[in-house]
Amino acid sequence: MTENNVVPLHKPTEDRSAEDATVTTLTVVSDAPVVPLWVRSGRAVKRLVTDDRTTTTARAVARHTLYVVGGTRIVSRRVWDSRTSARYERYMRAAEAAGNLELAADWEERGQRFRDARHRRRMDLLTSPIDAAKGAAAGVGIGVGGLLALGIALAVATEDATDVVTPLMAVIKLIALLITIVQVVWPYAITIGPLLALLGLWAVGSKQQAAPAWAMPATVRNSEGEPITPSTVVKALRDLGIPALRNAIKDMGDAGASMLGPITIAGCGVEVDVTLPSGVATNEVQNKRRKLAENLTRHEHEVFIVIPQAARTVRLWIADSGALDEPIGPSPLVTDDTITADYAKGRAPWGQDLRGDAAALSLYQRHLLITGLSNQGKTVALRSLALWLSLDKSVQFLMGDLKGVGDWGMFDGLADTLIQGPTDEHVIQVTEMVEGAVNEMNRRIQAPPGTVFPPLIVLVDEAQVAFMCPAKDADKRPYGGSKANSRYFMAVRKIHNQGRAVNVLMWQGTQDPTNENLPKLVREGAHTRASLALGTESQARMALGDKAVDGGAAPNLLRPGLDRGTLVVASDGITVPAGQSSITVRTHYIDDDAAQAITDRAKALRDGVTTLHAIERGEDRDPLADIAAVVGDATRVLTQDVLKRLAALNADAYGGWSFLDLKRVLDGTGAEPYKSDGRMVVGRDRLARALANRGDEGSASTSE
C-alpha cells in the first residue's frame, strides 16, 4: 500500500499578497510508487551519456585530440629518421625478412655512407664558428666599404659632402625598422606560433588517420565495398590483433608492402599472396578470418584464406562486395541438349569456382562422398553428376534413395535398380542391392586379365539412414552400424577396397556427419570428398579430412541457407590451384523438370532399361546347414574346398562367396575355421554341435 501524496496548491486571487494568499491542500491518491529525486536524476544522466549526440561529440573531441598526439609521433619519427640511420636499418630488416640478402646488403651500404657523411658534418662544426666569424668580418668590411664608395659617388654627383654617409645611414635605418617590426610582431608570434604548430601536427595526424578505431566516425559503407589496395591489405593485417605481425609491419621501412605479392583479379574478386614475417604462423591469420574480413570491409564469407606451398605464406581471395550472393548461370546440361558424356575421359560440368572459371569433375574410377547439413543442396549436387554420367550409354546405375520423396524418380527406366523409401525394409533392400554389386565386383575380378567392364555406379542418397538402421537379419547380423558383421558397412568397404579397378564405384550422399552415421573407414575410402555447409570444424574434418582443413578448407564457415549449393571439394579429379588442397565450387542448380528432360535424352541413347524397385530374392537358404551338408562325413575339409562345394550346390547364393563370407557365417557359432597342419579347415563335429545348439536355442525360445 502506497502513502498518499499531499500537494499544496495556491488558490489564485486578483490581489496576490503574502497575507491574503489562500492555500489549499489537494490530496492525490495514487498506486504509482514514489520515485526518489536521485533516481530520476540518474536516469536523466544515463540518457544524456548514452545519447547519440553525446557519444558522437565525445568521439569527435577524442579523435581530433588524438590527431595532434598522433601527428606529433609521426613528425618526431620523421625528424628522428632524417637525423639518424634508423630508416636504413628498417629497410635492411625488411629485406632480410623477405629473404632478399642482396637488397639488405645494399641498404647496409647506404646506411654506412649516411653515417660517414654525418660524421664529416659534425667534425666541420668544430671549426665552423671561427670560419663564420672570419666570413662575417670580411663581409662587414666589404659591405661598409661598398656603402662608403657608393656614398662618395653620390656626393660627387650631388656636390654635397654629407651624401657620403647617406647609403650607410639608410642601411642603419632599415635595420632599425626591422627591429621595430620584430618588437611589434614578437608577442603575437609567441602566442600564434604554438597554435600554428599544433594545427600542423593536427593536419599530419588527420591525413594519416592517426587515431584509434573507436574514435573514428561511424561511416556508412558503400554497398559495392571498398577497393582492395596494398595499403588496405597491410592495414587489415596490422589491425588483426597479432602483436608479432603488428610490430613487424611497424618496423618495416616500406610499411609492410614487401609482404605482398601482386594483387590480381580472380573472377568476382582479387587474390594476393602474403609472406608473413618471422614469428607469425599461418594458422594465426586463418583463425582471424572474421576480423580480417571486417578490416577489409567485407563479410566473413567473402574472404577465403588458404595455405599455398610457399613457406610462411597465406593466399587471400577477397570477393567483390555482394558478388557471392549473385546466382551463377544455368548448367550446360540444361542449355545444350547436344552435350554427351564420356566416363573415362570427360569431366562433369558441376559449377564455377570462386574465380568464375568452370569447375568440372572427373568421375573416372573415383568413389564419391558428398555431405553437409540438411536442405543445403546435397541431393541436387549429387544428382547433377549422375545426370551428366547418364549421357554415357555404357554406364549402369544401381540407386537407393533413402529419403524417398521422388528426388531420383526421373531415373526410373534408366537405372537397373531404383529403391526409394526411408523405412528399415528399404534399408534392407538397399543393403542387398549393394551386396549384389559386391558379387558383381567379385565376378569381374575373377575374369581374364584385360577384360573391360562397363561402369557400374552404386549410388545411395541419405546413406546415414542405412548406417543407423537397427534391423538385423535371421543370423542376428545388423544391417546398420560399423562393426565387422554390419552388412551395409562391410559391403561398402568391399567396394571401396577393390571396386575401382573393375569400374564398380560407390557414390554416397549423407547429412550432418558423425562417427556413428558416417564411419571413419567409409569416409576415408572416397577419392572425391565434397562438403556443403556444416556446423563445426570437427564435422569439416570428418567430411574432407585433416589435410584439406589444415590447408584452409572451411565448409563450417559457409552460411546455411545463404550458401546453398556451395561445396568445398577435396579431390584429384578437379583442377585445384597450385599449392591448395581443396577448392570451393558453386554448383549449378538443375530443377526436377530440367532433370527429367536430361534423363529423357539419356533414355533415348539406350535400347530400354527395365528398372527393378525391389531386390528379387531367391529361395531362402540356411548357410550353416549348407556348409554342414557339403562337409559331409569328412572329419575336416579345407576352406577352399568348402567354398567350391557351396558354389556347386547353389551358384546364385554362394557363387560370389570368399573366405570372409564363410568366416562371417561361422563366427560365434563355435564352428569357426581353424588351422590343421598349417591350413585353414572346417570341422564336421563342430558344425554338428553348432546346428544342435541352434536347434536347442530355437526350441527354448519357442517354449518361452
Side-chain angles (χ1 to χ4, degrees), residues 122 224 244 251 269 367 383 394 433 490 532 539 623 634 643 656:
R122 289 176 177 175
E224 297 181 356
D251 293 338
H367 301 303
R383 189 176 67 182
S394 67
M433 178 190 76
M490 290 305 299
L532 296 117
Q539 287 185 315
L643 291 173

Side-chain angles (χ1 to χ4, degrees), residues 190-206:
I190 293 176
T191 303
I192 298 176
L195 297 178
L196 293 177
L198 289 176
L199 182 61
L201 295 174
W202 175 88
V204 173
S206 176

Side-chain angles (χ1 to χ4, degrees), residues 249-329:
I249 294 175
K250 181 179 178 181
D251 293 338
M252 290 181 182
D254 57 358
S258 61
M259 297 193 308
L260 306 184
I263 298 179
T264 58
I265 296 176
C268 57
V270 296
E271 188 175 73
V272 59
D273 283 359
V274 180
T275 302
L276 300 176
S278 178
V280 182
T282 54
N283 65 332
E284 291 184 87
V285 178
Q286 279 186 303
N287 294 336
K288 298 279 188 176
R289 178 185 177 190
R290 173 174 293 182
K291 192 169 186 179
L292 177 62
E294 292 173 349
N295 290 347
L296 292 167
T297 66
R298 296 293 190 273
H299 295 292
E300 183 178 11
H301 72 278
E302 294 175 331
V303 174
F304 288 81
I305 306 173
V306 296
I307 311 299
Q309 290 179 338
R312 280 204 342 261
T313 302
V314 293
R315 179 170 295 159
L316 307 180
W317 185 84
I318 307 160
D320 298 335
S321 184
L324 295 183
D325 296 327
E326 298 294 329
I328 64 173

Side-chain angles (χ1 to χ4, degrees), residues 14-204:
E14 294 181 359
D15 187 11
R16 285 287 303 256
S17 65
E19 290 77 18
D20 61 1
T22 304
V23 178
T24 63
T25 301
L26 176 64
T27 301
V28 180
V29 179
S30 174
D31 291 335
V34 179
V35 180
L37 179 61
W38 64 270
V39 173
R40 295 197 298 271
S41 301
R43 291 175 179 173
V45 171
K46 181 179 179 181
R47 285 195 298 270
L48 177 63
V49 171
T50 58
D51 186 74
D52 289 341
R53 290 172 294 182
T54 303
T55 56
T56 301
T57 303
R59 190 164 53 242
V61 172
R63 178 170 66 254
H64 292 290
T65 302
L66 292 170
Y67 279 163
V68 176
V69 177
T72 303
R73 185 179 66 254
I74 293 171
V75 171
S76 301
R77 183 164 185 172
R78 290 175 180 175
V79 173
W80 177 259
D81 287 346
S82 67
R83 305 299 298 173
T84 66
S85 60
R87 176 182 302 174
Y88 300 96
E89 292 177 2
R90 285 203 308 274
Y91 288 150
M92 183 174 64
R93 287 195 296 270
E96 289 176 346
N100 194 339
L101 300 181
E102 182 179 353
L103 182 59
D106 180 59
W107 282 114
E108 184 179 14
E109 182 181 352
R110 293 187 186 187
Q112 186 60 42
R113 289 201 299 267
F114 171 82
R115 286 188 288 269
D116 292 342
R118 182 181 61 187
H119 177 71
R120 287 194 299 271
R121 290 194 301 270
R122 289 176 177 175
M123 294 304 295
D124 291 341
L125 289 176
L126 297 177
T127 58
S128 59
I130 299 175
D131 295 338
K134 290 180 179 180
V140 170
I142 294 173
V144 172
L147 291 174
L148 290 176
L150 181 60
I152 292 172
L154 183 61
V156 171
T158 59
E159 298 179 354
D160 185 358
T162 59
D163 286 341
V164 173
V165 295
T166 298
L168 184 60
M169 293 304 296
V171 172
I172 293 173
K173 290 180 180 179
L174 176 61
I175 294 173
L177 177 62
L178 293 176
I179 293 173
T180 302
I181 293 174
V182 169
Q183 288 176 340
V184 173
V185 173
W186 183 251
Y188 300 100
I190 293 176
T191 303
I192 298 176
L195 297 178
L196 293 177
L198 289 176
L199 182 61
L201 295 174
W202 175 88
V204 173

Side-chain angles (χ1 to χ4, degrees), residues 555-578:
N556 53 301
L557 296 181
L558 295 175
R559 302 166 299 166
L562 298 177
D563 289 326
R564 185 179 289 112
T566 299
L567 288 162
V568 182
V569 185
S571 173
D572 61 351
I574 193 170
T575 302
V576 177

Side-chain angles (χ1 to χ4, degrees), residues 368-372 378-379 382 399-404 408 419 421-423 426-428 430-431 433-434 458-470 479-482 488-489 492 496 506-519 522-523:
L368 176 66
L369 172 66
I370 299 180
T371 187
K378 168 181 53 63
T379 297
L382 183 61
M399 292 185 168
D401 175 17
L402 293 177
K403 184 189 296 181
W408 297 88
I419 299 169
T423 66
H426 291 101
V427 172
I428 294 171
V430 167
T431 301
M433 178 190 76
V434 179
V458 185
L459 188 153
V460 179
D461 194 13
E462 305 296 341
Q464 77 279 354
V465 178
F467 286 113
M468 299 300 291
C469 178
Y479 288 93
S482 57
Y488 180 80
F489 169 75
V492 172
H496 278 175
M506 191 75 209
W507 290 10
Q508 294 184 97
T510 70
Q511 62 174 299
D512 201 11
T514 65
N515 286 322
E516 289 72 27
N517 64 25
L518 186 59
V522 170
R523 59 182 186 252

